[in-house]
Amino acid sequence: MDLRKLKTLIDLVSESNISELEITEAEGKVRIVKAGVAAVAVAPAPMAAPAVVLPAAAPAAAPVAEPAPAAPAARVIKSPMVGTFYRAASPGAKPFADVGDAVKPGQAVCIIEAMKIMNEIESDLEGRIAKLLCENGQAVEFGQPLFVLE
């Protein structure tokens, strides 16, 4: 498949509301997955049990416990595709992001190589990198956590 045809297909996927396109031709097979698409599972709402009314004596005063402050939920930058994780643009270059670095939405944090194409992965969150979850050169899956932010 020539490069112009591939570029046209990528543009069509990015401009449409489809999330994935796979084409098989004599020369080979091409699969294009739109970045940032997440599957959402919806669980059915639980049914409420019928209320049972029991006669009660005098109501007792129950101690009121204050709710404990909730621990902040871990914020994670996940892989938008399957590929090979790289922390820097080249083997000797400075990593895009390291532990302790502040990141902003739209800032490149790593590269994922997929089908010989280097894709810069941008943060969709703001925060400070608390933990790296992948090693340089490691294969990653779609949705796999890459960085934990604090």
Side-chain angles (χ1 to χ4, degrees):
M1 181 175 294
D2 77 13
L3 193 57
R4 284 177 288 161
K5 188 173 182 180
L6 186 58
K7 173 72 174 142
T8 303
L9 290 172
I10 291 171
D11 291 340
L12 288 172
V13 169
S14 67
E15 293 170 3
S16 69
N17 59 358
I18 63 170
S19 60
E20 188 174 320
L21 175 68
E22 187 170 322
I23 297 176
T24 304
E25 290 185 341
E27 302 93 36
K29 181 172 159 181
V30 174
R31 181 173 177 221
I32 302 169
V33 178
K34 191 182 292 187
V37 177
V40 178
V42 179
M47 294 186 57
V52 177
V53 179
L54 297 175
V64 177
E66 291 185 27
R75 297 178 308 141
V76 179
I77 299 174
K78 297 180 179 179
S79 174
M81 63 185 63
V82 174
T84 304
F85 174 86
Y86 295 107
R87 293 186 57 204
S90 63
K94 179 181 179 286
F96 287 106
D98 211 348
V99 174
D101 290 351
V103 294
K104 296 179 181 174
Q107 178 180 341
V109 292
C110 66
I111 289 178
I112 295 184
E113 177 188 2
M115 295 177 60
K116 304 292 182 195
I117 298 175
M118 300 297 185
N119 302 284
E120 275 192 6
I121 307 305
E122 298 176 349
S123 174
D124 54 348
L125 302 169
E126 184 170 354
R128 190 166 300 278
I129 296 182
K131 188 185 279 187
L132 296 170
L133 302 175
C134 294
E135 295 294 323
N136 206 35
Q138 177 182 339
V140 294
E141 297 291 324
F142 173 79
Q144 178 176 339
L146 303 174
F147 300 92
V148 175
L149 300 182
E150 53 183 29

